[in-house]
Amino acid sequence: MTHSPSQMQQRRGHSIEVVDAKVAVDLATAQTYSENVFLFVPNLIGYTRVILAGLSLHFMSYHPKYCTLAYVFSCLLDAVDGQAARALNQTSKFGAVLDMVTDRCTTSCLLCYLASSYPPYAIIFQFLIALDFSSHYMHMYSSLVTGSRSHKLVTSDVSRILWLYYNDSRTLFFVCAGNELFYVSLYLMKWTTEPIGLPSVLPDLTYAQALAAASLPICALKNIINLVQLWKASKILVGVDLAERANARKEQDTRRR
């Protein structure tokens, strides 16, 4: 099905209003403590996530227990900030971007460590970093240029896979948590050698290896979703390009008449 440029404009739901950058900076500078977006509770939770992520990176090379605890708590708080934002009516674009940037940077730092810990598989970890950043950046940008208020507002007619992923908080949490669990398990495999103690079938299996095996399918699913997200965002941006070029041609034809 094809859509005209006007139809594309009509299909935009929950569109954003454009605010001049200088006006936005002045508004942010003049904030009062009664409503300071930087001090919203979900954003304070976001800052806590950044601190915990930093601590996990600090301990990553020499203290696996402290590293894992800090990393896991940082990831778990990712599920709390969104609920706090909705409960307190403190949703914000700054908070949404802070949340996404924290997720991308934290996961990428862990993948960098895994690349150095597993040199034969370094190219795979590098690919996962590139895929994660590129798919989320293009998805965010395609959401902005189509006037969406949030990158999570995906309709089923655009992508049923992304709609199921973003619009069901349980699915989103399960997939993201499983993906992080796989990477954390790979990290712990470098430090854990004591077997679980299973029967003779898998006598040398450690708990980290068991967790990695259980969460591998979820990690694969998450990266398939990233590929879908990258492809759909690319198609949206190309569609916007085509619509703008069609409008430009119409304007040229109008001026010639």
Side-chain angles (χ1 to χ4, degrees):
M1 181 183 294
T2 59
H3 300 282
S4 67
S6 59
Q7 287 176 314
M8 291 182 66
Q9 293 287 339
Q10 293 172 359
R11 286 169 58 84
R12 292 182 182 179
H14 307 287
S15 61
I16 60 174
E17 295 180 0
V18 178
V19 179
D20 180 77
K22 180 61 169 63
V23 173
V25 170
D26 291 341
L27 287 171
T29 304
Q31 289 181 105
T32 62
Y33 284 106
S34 61
E35 190 177 37
N36 190 320
V37 175
F38 288 124
L39 299 179
F40 279 3
V41 171
N43 296 339
L44 294 177
I45 296 173
Y47 307 146
T48 304
R49 290 190 61 210
V50 173
I51 294 171
L52 287 171
L55 286 173
S56 73
L57 297 177
H58 173 72
F59 291 118
M60 191 168 286
S61 62
Y62 70 94
H63 207 305
K65 288 184 179 179
Y66 288 169
C67 169
T68 302
L69 284 173
Y71 192 94
V72 168
F73 275 118
S74 178
C75 292
L76 289 176
L77 285 177
D78 187 23
V80 177
D81 56 3
Q83 293 181 353
R86 290 184 289 272
L88 299 173
N89 192 27
Q90 291 184 344
T91 58
S92 65
K93 295 177 179 61
F94 170 74
V97 174
L98 174 65
D99 185 56
M100 176 179 283
V101 170
T102 303
D103 289 340
R104 306 283 74 74
C105 293
T106 304
T107 303
S108 296
C109 288
L110 177 55
L111 288 173
C112 286
Y113 183 87
L114 293 178
S116 64
S117 298
Y118 300 92
Y121 304 99
I123 188 65
I124 296 177
F125 295 119
Q126 291 168 340
F127 168 76
L128 293 175
I129 293 171
L131 175 62
D132 196 39
F133 269 104
S134 59
S135 68
H136 283 85
Y137 177 83
M138 292 190 70
H139 178 63
M140 177 71 81
Y141 192 79
S142 68
S143 299
L144 289 173
V145 299
T146 53
S148 178
R149 287 190 175 275
S150 171
H151 66 282
K152 294 183 179 180
L153 295 176
V154 181
T155 58
S156 58
D157 57 344
V158 171
S159 171
R160 186 163 183 82
I161 293 176
L162 295 182
W163 177 76
L164 290 170
Y165 175 66
Y166 279 118
N167 287 273
D168 188 337
S169 58
R170 293 167 299 181
T171 301
L172 183 63
F173 176 81
F174 176 77
V175 174
C176 291
N179 183 61
E180 296 296 336
L181 177 61
F182 176 70
Y183 297 146
V184 171
S185 299
L186 292 182
Y187 166 72
L188 291 175
M189 282 169 55
K190 300 297 292 185
W191 301 89
T192 306
T193 57
E194 183 178 354
I196 298 176
L198 293 178
S200 57
V201 181
L202 296 169
D204 298 325
L205 183 71
T206 66
Y207 74 89
Q209 291 171 335
L211 288 174
S215 55
L216 174 59
I218 305 174
C219 178
L221 174 62
K222 175 68 168 68
N223 285 285
I224 290 172
I225 292 172
N226 281 347
L227 286 170
V228 172
Q229 183 169 255
L230 178 65
W231 174 239
K232 289 294 182 178
S234 301
K235 293 183 72 174
I236 290 171
L237 292 173
V238 168
V240 171
D241 285 334
L242 292 171
E244 290 178 346
R245 291 171 67 85
N247 285 333
R249 285 193 296 269
K250 283 186 177 180
E251 291 178 359
Q252 289 178 353
D253 293 339
T254 301
R255 285 196 295 267
R256 289 172 183 169
R257 293 175 183 174

Short mmCIF file of all heavy atoms in Angstrom, two decimals, residues 6 45 52 94 119 127 204 223:
data_model
loop_
_atom_site.label_atom_id
_atom_site.label_comp_id
_atom_site.label_asym_id
_atom_site.label_seq_id
_atom_site.Cartn_x
_atom_site.Cartn_y
_atom_site.Cartn_z
N SER A 6 0.42 13.79 2.09
CA SER A 6 -0.61 14.30 3.00
C SER A 6 -1.13 13.19 3.90
O SER A 6 -1.44 13.41 5.07
CB SER A 6 -1.77 14.90 2.20
OG SER A 6 -2.33 13.92 1.34
N ILE A 45 16.61 8.42 39.77
CA ILE A 45 16.86 6.98 39.65
C ILE A 45 17.83 6.72 38.49
O ILE A 45 18.72 5.88 38.58
CB ILE A 45 15.54 6.21 39.44
CG1 ILE A 45 14.64 6.36 40.67
CG2 ILE A 45 15.81 4.73 39.15
CD1 ILE A 45 13.26 5.76 40.49
N LEU A 52 25.90 3.38 39.57
CA LEU A 52 26.08 1.94 39.75
C LEU A 52 26.81 1.33 38.56
O LEU A 52 27.66 0.43 38.74
CB LEU A 52 24.71 1.27 39.93
CG LEU A 52 24.02 1.50 41.27
CD1 LEU A 52 22.59 0.97 41.24
CD2 LEU A 52 24.80 0.84 42.41
N PHE A 94 13.93 14.12 28.44
CA PHE A 94 15.26 13.99 29.00
C PHE A 94 15.42 12.64 29.69
O PHE A 94 16.44 11.94 29.51
CB PHE A 94 15.54 15.12 30.00
CG PHE A 94 16.79 14.93 30.80
CD1 PHE A 94 18.04 15.11 30.23
CD2 PHE A 94 16.72 14.54 32.14
CE1 PHE A 94 19.20 14.92 30.96
CE2 PHE A 94 17.88 14.35 32.89
CZ PHE A 94 19.12 14.54 32.30
N PRO A 119 39.17 -13.18 23.06
CA PRO A 119 39.72 -12.63 21.80
C PRO A 119 39.22 -13.32 20.53
O PRO A 119 38.96 -12.62 19.53
CB PRO A 119 41.23 -12.81 21.99
CG PRO A 119 41.43 -12.83 23.46
CD PRO A 119 40.22 -13.50 24.03
N PHE A 127 30.45 -6.49 16.64
CA PHE A 127 29.24 -6.42 15.81
C PHE A 127 28.01 -6.13 16.67
O PHE A 127 27.15 -5.32 16.29
CB PHE A 127 29.05 -7.74 15.07
CG PHE A 127 27.69 -7.87 14.42
CD1 PHE A 127 27.39 -7.19 13.25
CD2 PHE A 127 26.71 -8.68 14.99
CE1 PHE A 127 26.13 -7.30 12.66
CE2 PHE A 127 25.46 -8.80 14.42
CZ PHE A 127 25.17 -8.10 13.24
N ASP A 204 31.13 -31.06 34.72
CA ASP A 204 31.97 -29.86 34.86
C ASP A 204 31.18 -28.56 34.64
O ASP A 204 31.78 -27.49 34.58
CB ASP A 204 33.13 -29.92 33.85
CG ASP A 204 34.03 -31.11 34.10
OD1 ASP A 204 34.20 -31.46 35.30
OD2 ASP A 204 34.55 -31.69 33.12
N ASN A 223 18.70 -9.51 19.64
CA ASN A 223 19.47 -8.97 18.52
C ASN A 223 18.73 -9.13 17.19
O ASN A 223 18.95 -8.34 16.27
CB ASN A 223 20.84 -9.63 18.48
CG ASN A 223 21.75 -9.09 19.58
OD1 ASN A 223 22.25 -7.99 19.49
ND2 ASN A 223 21.93 -9.87 20.63
#
